[in-house]
Amino acid sequence: MDKILVTGGLGFIGSHTVVELQNEGYEVVIVDNLSNSSIDVLEGITSITGKKPLFEKLDLKDKEPVEDFFKKHNNIKGVIHFAASKAVGESVQEPLLYYENNISTLVYILKELKKLPSASFIFSSSCTVYGQADELPITENAPVKLAESPYGNTKQIGEEIIRDTCKVIPTIKAIALRYFNPVGSHESAKIGELPIGVPQNLVPFITQTAIGIREQLSVFGNDYPTPDGTCIRDYIHVVDLAKAHVIALKRLLENKHKSNYETFNLGTGKGSSVLEVIHSFEKVSGEKLNYKIVGRREGDVISAYADTKKANDELGWKSELTLDDAMRSAWKWEQVVRGK
Ligand code: UD1
């Protein structure tokens, strides 16, 4: 079976994708610099799949070790590239760190892929490229808006770098997957989301509040032009998302793609408000969540949810799990992590 490199494979989405790749029989090699992940995740993956993936601690910013890695693993057929920094606020404070972490690493990998006879490449992009879209649901043809942060800009520039590369190097085939809001965890609760420090994202903040690590959840604004006044997002279960990566990779490996560079939205197509997410959590956990409404958070868009038609029809992928499933699994994971 084909050997697939997963960069950032010990992270949240990466680890779930490694599980799905191994379930499909692929041979996986993970590289990760452990800057925002733990080596224990390797055990979690092994315990779910019964097979330990190959692992090398590697920082993709280090050009020569990256070259050596590809010399050693010269039979790699595909790369799923998750490794990147993703904290929006931090990226505003440290733009150069973000451009180095997210852009140089991408360039180094593509340079190595250029040397291979053929390479399939999957890139972690984000719905953040659309900003506040003029029309909902958001299709892949919606214009890419001026990025709100260096983090968002690295996703836009990353897509452009890949598109430009694929134009002139026919041996590289690529798909950029634009994720909406990934949440939840594997049903086994052996892997999940492990934010370091205070979580910036809604769902880990909810579960950490419920377990008692955080005093209270702040709901950022209830005066938006939405039915209940809180912002709307498309929350997609991480296991559904992981499966989409395997399907996208297969599309390239089996030459079923329509062009050398394609983009797909990965979402459920359903928008949920912040209050709906809280209520889903309360329903499935039986816990009462301590939250209060505060002012808006700078940079938040009002509403974003995916048009899933292209992913459904062309990729042949559709999300299967619900928001309740995601909240149930996120809660189970939080309880396991905290030893409760
Ligand atoms: C954020 C990033 C986005 C990135 C994504 C990765 C911003 C502006 N956007 O998306 O670029 O791709 O994470 O997962 O940071 N909320 C609260 N209280 C909280 C936390 C969040 O009310 O403590 C609300 C937010 O206002 C938002 C919703 O929950 O309406 C989701 O927020 P979050 O999980 O941070 O995701 P995004 O902002 O959509």
Side-chain angles (χ1 to χ4, degrees):
M1 202 61 178
D2 290 332
K3 190 192 232 182
I4 307 301
L5 165 63
V6 182
T7 75
L10 297 183
F12 174 41
I13 308 172
S15 58
H16 288 82
T17 301
V18 171
V19 165
E20 299 304 324
L21 283 168
Q22 291 199 325
N23 285 345
E24 292 286 313
Y26 289 100
E27 186 190 353
V28 176
V29 50
I30 295 175
V31 302
D32 200 301
N33 68 0
L34 300 175
S35 63
N36 195 21
S37 60
S38 159
I39 191 70
D40 298 343
V41 176
L42 209 52
E43 298 311 318
I45 294 169
T46 310
S47 147
I48 295 169
T49 62
K51 189 173 179 235
K52 193 170 186 160
L54 297 173
F55 170 71
E56 290 203 23
K57 184 167 184 281
L58 179 67
D59 195 319
L60 296 166
K61 290 196 295 292
D62 301 335
K63 195 164 184 280
E64 275 165 27
V66 170
E67 287 170 3
D68 293 342
F69 173 87
F70 275 92
K71 269 182 208 142
K72 185 169 152 200
H73 297 275
N74 59 5
N75 56 345
I76 282 174
K77 292 284 186 301
V79 177
I80 307 186
H81 180 45
F82 293 103
S85 299
K86 60 167 189 179
V88 177
E90 184 188 44
S91 80
V92 176
Q93 301 304 320
E94 300 270 2
L96 294 178
L97 182 76
Y98 272 66
Y99 289 116
E100 186 177 32
N101 282 354
N102 296 4
I103 302 295
S104 343
T105 53
L106 173 64
V107 172
Y108 294 160
I109 294 173
L110 291 172
K111 279 186 152 179
E112 293 307 313
L113 296 191
K114 197 178 157 188
K115 297 175 191 164
L116 299 177
S118 164
S120 299
F121 186 72
I122 307 291
F123 179 63
S124 291
S125 190
S126 166
C127 68
T128 195
V129 302
Y130 300 118
Q132 179 58 68
D134 301 324
E135 282 175 42
L136 294 167
I138 304 173
T139 71
E140 287 79 355
N141 293 327
V144 167
K145 292 263 175 81
L146 199 64
E148 289 267 356
S149 68
Y151 159 76
N153 209 19
T154 65
K155 294 298 172 192
Q156 297 190 3
I157 298 170
E159 287 195 5
E160 288 168 10
I161 290 173
I162 299 163
R163 194 195 54 211
D164 291 345
T165 305
C166 290
K167 247 186 230 163
V168 291
I169 303 172
T171 51
I172 302 182
K173 312 167 264 185
I175 291 179
L177 297 174
R178 294 172 173 167
Y179 314 150
F180 281 68
N181 289 54
V183 292
S185 72
H186 194 266
E187 59 173 5
S188 65
K190 288 177 172 165
I191 53 173
E193 190 169 8
L194 262 185
I196 291 176
V198 182
Q200 308 298 311
N201 295 116
L202 178 62
V203 172
F205 208 106
I206 289 177
T207 55
Q208 288 197 9
T209 305
I211 207 114
I213 298 173
R214 311 280 155 213
E215 178 82 29
Q216 190 172 50
L217 170 79
S218 298
V219 172
F220 298 135
N222 70 345
D223 57 351
Y224 285 99
T226 62
D228 66 20
T230 63
C231 290
I232 290 176
R233 297 286 184 276
D234 185 338
Y235 295 91
I236 167 93
H237 198 299
V238 66
V239 172
D240 276 333
L241 198 67
K243 289 180 177 165
H245 287 76
V246 181
I247 293 171
L249 180 73
K250 256 192 203 156
R251 176 180 175 89
L252 295 179
L253 291 170
E254 293 172 2
N255 287 315
K256 298 212 167 113
H257 53 291
K258 287 195 178 155
S259 100
N260 261 14
Y261 172 67
E262 298 177 307
T263 55
F264 290 99
N265 284 342
L266 295 183
T268 65
K270 185 179 177 303
S272 304
S273 72
V274 177
L275 292 179
E276 282 172 331
V277 175
I278 293 172
H279 295 147
S280 163
F281 173 78
E282 291 185 328
K283 184 176 80 184
V284 301
S285 68
E287 301 282 326
K288 188 95 196 78
L289 192 75
N290 182 22
Y291 70 91
K292 74 161 184 238
I293 310 288
V294 301
R296 294 181 176 192
R297 178 173 73 177
E298 207 190 316
D300 268 339
V301 300
I302 304 165
S303 186
Y305 50 94
D307 186 314
T308 59
K309 194 172 184 324
K310 190 177 177 202
N312 294 169
D313 295 354
E314 285 187 39
L315 204 54
W317 168 87
K318 200 175 186 324
S319 70
E320 286 165 357
L321 299 163
T322 63
L323 179 61
D324 286 352
D325 294 329
M327 299 311 284
R328 201 177 291 114
S329 65
W331 180 229
K332 188 173 165 192
W333 166 246
E334 187 72 61
Q335 290 172 299
V336 167
V337 170
R338 310 299 160 190
K340 300 233 166 138

